[in-house]
Amino acid sequence: MSQTIQRAATVLELVSIRPRTQSEVAEVLGVHRSTALRILGTLGESGLVRRRPDGTYGVGYRLTWFASLASEQFELRDLARPRIAELGAECGHTVHLAVLEDDRIVYADKIDQPGTVRMYSQIGQPVRLHTSGVAKAILAHVDAEVLERMLDGYAFERFTSTTLTSRGDFDDDLAAVRQRGWASDDGEFEDFINCVAMPVRGPDSKVIAAVSITALRAQAELDELEGLLPRLAQVCEGISKSIGWRP
Amino acid sequence: MSQTIQRAATVLELVSIRPRTQSEVAEVLGVHRSTALRILGTLGESGLVRRRPDGTYGVGYRLTWFASLASEQFELRDLARPRIAELGAECGHTVHLAVLEDDRIVYADKIDQPGTVRMYSQIGQPVRLHTSGVAKAILAHVDAEVLERMLDGYAFERFTSTTLTSRGDFDDDLAAVRQRGWASDDGEFEDFINCVAMPVRGPDSKVIAAVSITALRAQAELDELEGLLPRLAQVCEGISKSIGWRP
DNA sequence: AGTATGTGTTGCAGTATGCGCAACAGTGGT
DNA sequence: ACCACTGTTGCGCATACTGCAACACATACT
């Protein structure tokens, strides 16, 4: 991995969230001021970053151009989007789409609800494998060797009292997910958030993605979310069919 | 300038246009296959690039997420967009918005017309200063020291028989632009394309951007585009006022 | 079945690149 | 006047990046 490129990517993330001063960038990256300015300068030359009139650095027009050019490369997300948007509108909870990419699972889309707390999840970032519903919904169905590769050296870190912290417990949970067809996050990462999730299948019936319904426990306990499973199954089947899966 | 970051930015551009194989990436960058894979690997770790099921590399979800997060950072473009979209719809020609960024001018937005030839211009990329209408509309009004900085070492390269190829001729043209209030590209970069452009002012009355109407000569000669100047002036004034300019 | 092509991986030696540093000038705010 | 921050720059140096070669694997074609 290239540390220079990683730093540049971090800069892009920083300035996407909000425009930053070059001191902030240096501080977050842990580099010298002149190093930060060099990175910003090169990103500026490339059009990915721009210096705003107030002296802070924000995202450049070129980055939005690239996103626009690339918009047709997200076939699965594009096909899923209207369905998960509708699901979100109906249930009033946050809906996530996560996809399996080689040996990791990343959030591909998210339907937020106005007036609710923004969830921790960030599109494009990897999913925490042992606590998130979407990850379990996918991992329950991947080939054994893919599962081994993904869990090789994986740290089952405890976050809450319900976090699964051993490979054995995790495997048992995956077996249960396989059996019942859906996964959950029972406050395993943050004890005030729970969700239910189900898999999405590709044309060859392999599980390639998952959709979840996530809520604050104060808004909906797990058993209430379980009541949404028939509708969630319908949405996942609709997405699967739209990308070529046939039961 | 960091060559490593420049390479990464080139990769992002390549994969935005369309997904690429790692051999293509290596070839375009002029580097060894393993170097290309390392760059792709780091961009992949950062979520900016992803390997597609067919083995090609495309844009990652995270890049689109950054663009989405940053969407509110483009105040000028956002305010201008409905106005230039309406202008484009009315006149049926391509409309550009270009902005002055420190010592360069970049395309910030573009309204294409369905059924017409796509123009060369790419959002986020610098404008060619001596041939483009938007550049002349801006340069005619910048402070003398800014103009000196921007033209220091500038090559007045000839592209067509109408290209201005000396600093003297260019200054004369800028003086004429200042006097009449609008600039043009009279087939100076590509002899089959012409345009008219006018400046956009910021709250302090300084020119910070410009808008142009561009057409194939086969569709509209320059004098026909000149007939659109009153309407273009109206649009530029509307944009200027929306960002705080008062005449 | 054999072949060709492209992909993915990896360790290592070499060097080109990226970095930190310090110092200076400028700007804006108090 | 003072302070904090920004922007610039040249230079020495350490290391991060690179090319290389070789291997295994997958796919497509014959």
Side-chain angles (χ1 to χ4, degrees):
Chain A
M1 295 314 138
S2 160
Q3 94 169 332
T4 305
I5 297 176
Q6 281 178 328
R7 284 175 173 165
T10 302
V11 170
L12 290 181
E13 174 176 357
L14 282 174
V15 301
S16 298
I17 294 166
R18 70 172 180 280
R20 308 291 180 136
T21 66
Q22 48 89 27
S23 299
E24 278 184 282
V25 170
E27 186 179 357
V28 171
L29 290 183
V31 299
H32 195 270
R33 265 201 324 115
S34 59
T35 301
L37 277 165
R38 263 193 222 97
I39 295 172
L40 286 166
T42 306
L43 290 171
E45 284 296 315
S46 306
L48 297 174
V49 153
R50 71 192 159 99
R51 201 159 78 97
R52 294 163 61 86
D54 69 353
T56 60
Y57 293 83
V59 165
Y61 293 100
R62 204 157 180 68
L63 187 135
T64 66
W65 180 235
F66 290 167
S68 170
L69 284 178
S71 64
E72 64 196 39
Q73 292 181 26
F74 300 93
E75 304 92 339
L76 172 56
R77 180 169 74 179
D78 291 345
L79 286 165
R81 167 54 77 124
R83 289 171 169 79
I84 63 172
E86 187 179 339
L87 177 61
E90 286 169 15
C91 69
H93 300 307
T94 301
V95 178
H96 291 98
L97 172 73
V99 300
L100 177 63
E101 279 190 354
D102 297 316
D103 292 347
R104 64 192 194 156
I105 299 171
V106 303
Y107 287 113
D109 207 356
K110 175 167 71 168
I111 305 297
D112 283 314
Q113 297 303 329
T116 65
V117 176
R118 280 287 191 85
M119 298 298 169
Y120 167 89
S121 48
Q122 284 191 352
I123 290 172
Q125 270 207 318
V127 174
R128 190 161 277 106
L129 299 182
H130 69 307
T131 59
S132 84
V134 284
K136 291 184 237 170
I138 294 172
L139 292 179
H141 298 93
V142 297
D143 294 338
E145 80 258 19
V146 175
L147 184 64
E148 285 320 307
R149 249 191 345 264
M150 293 178 77
L151 294 183
D152 183 40
Y154 187 82
F156 289 84
E157 186 180 349
R158 180 174 295 280
F159 295 103
T160 72
S161 64
T162 50
T163 312
L164 299 169
T165 51
S166 78
R167 176 65 193 270
D169 288 345
F170 191 63
D171 281 337
D172 290 347
D173 197 66
L174 294 187
V177 168
R178 256 192 305 277
Q179 207 233 344
R180 68 179 180 241
W182 55 275
S184 66
D185 176 351
D186 186 9
E188 294 165 51
F189 174 61
E190 283 170 314
D191 61 11
F192 55 91
I193 287 181
N194 50 22
C195 84
V196 289
M198 295 184 90
V200 170
R201 293 180 184 273
D204 56 1
S205 292
K206 283 188 169 178
V207 171
I208 56 167
V211 176
S212 70
I213 304 173
T214 307
L216 293 173
R217 199 181 286 281
Q219 285 175 325
E221 293 283 351
L222 193 54
D223 59 1
E224 182 179 339
L225 294 182
E226 285 174 29
L228 296 170
L229 286 170
R231 182 65 182 113
L232 179 57
Q234 204 172 52
V235 166
C236 292
E237 183 168 318
I239 298 171
S240 300
K241 283 176 167 170
S242 77
I243 59 181
W245 175 72
R246 292 294 176 265
Chain B
M1 293 317 135
S2 160
Q3 97 168 329
T4 304
I5 296 176
Q6 281 178 328
R7 283 174 173 166
T10 302
V11 171
L12 290 181
E13 175 178 355
L14 282 174
V15 302
S16 298
I17 294 167
R18 70 174 182 274
R20 308 290 180 139
T21 65
Q22 50 88 27
S23 300
E24 278 185 280
V25 169
E27 186 181 356
V28 172
L29 291 182
V31 299
H32 195 269
R33 261 197 330 111
S34 57
T35 301
L37 277 164
R38 262 192 223 95
I39 296 171
L40 286 164
T42 306
L43 289 171
E45 284 297 314
S46 306
L48 297 175
V49 153
R50 70 191 160 100
R51 202 159 76 95
R52 296 162 59 87
D54 69 353
T56 61
Y57 293 83
V59 164
Y61 294 98
R62 205 157 180 67
L63 188 137
T64 66
W65 179 237
F66 290 168
S68 169
L69 284 178
S71 63
E72 63 196 40
Q73 291 181 26
F74 300 94
E75 304 92 337
L76 172 56
R77 182 169 73 180
D78 291 345
L79 285 165
R81 167 53 76 126
R83 288 171 170 79
I84 64 174
E86 188 179 339
L87 176 61
E90 286 170 12
C91 68
H93 300 308
T94 302
V95 178
H96 292 97
L97 172 73
V99 299
L100 177 64
E101 279 190 353
D102 296 316
D103 290 347
R104 62 192 194 156
I105 298 171
V106 303
Y107 287 113
D109 207 356
K110 176 168 70 168
I111 304 298
D112 283 315
Q113 296 303 328
T116 66
V117 175
R118 280 288 192 82
M119 298 297 170
Y120 167 88
S121 48
Q122 283 190 351
I123 292 173
Q125 270 205 321
V127 172
R128 189 162 279 108
L129 299 183
H130 69 307
T131 59
S132 82
V134 285
K136 292 182 235 169
I138 295 172
L139 292 179
H141 297 94
V142 297
D143 294 339
E145 80 260 18
V146 174
L147 183 64
E148 285 319 306
R149 250 192 342 264
M150 293 179 76
L151 294 182
D152 184 39
Y154 188 82
F156 289 86
E157 187 181 347
R158 180 175 294 279
F159 294 103
T160 72
S161 63
T162 50
T163 312
L164 299 168
T165 52
S166 79
R167 175 65 195 270
D169 287 345
F170 190 64
D171 281 337
D172 290 345
D173 198 64
L174 293 188
V177 169
R178 251 188 312 272
Q179 206 233 347
R180 68 180 181 240
W182 55 275
S184 65
D185 175 351
D186 185 9
E188 293 164 52
F189 174 61
E190 282 170 314
D191 62 8
F192 55 92
I193 286 180
N194 51 23
C195 84
V196 290
M198 294 184 90
V200 169
R201 294 179 183 275
D204 56 0
S205 292
K206 283 188 169 180
V207 171
I208 57 169
V211 175
S212 71
I213 304 173
T214 306
L216 292 174
R217 200 182 285 282
Q219 284 176 325
E221 292 283 352
L222 193 53
D223 59 359
E224 183 178 337
L225 294 183
E226 287 175 26
L228 296 169
L229 285 170
R231 181 66 182 113
L232 178 57
Q234 204 171 51
V235 165
C236 290
E237 183 170 318
I239 297 171
S240 299
K241 282 176 169 170
S242 77
I243 60 180
W245 175 71
R246 290 296 175 262

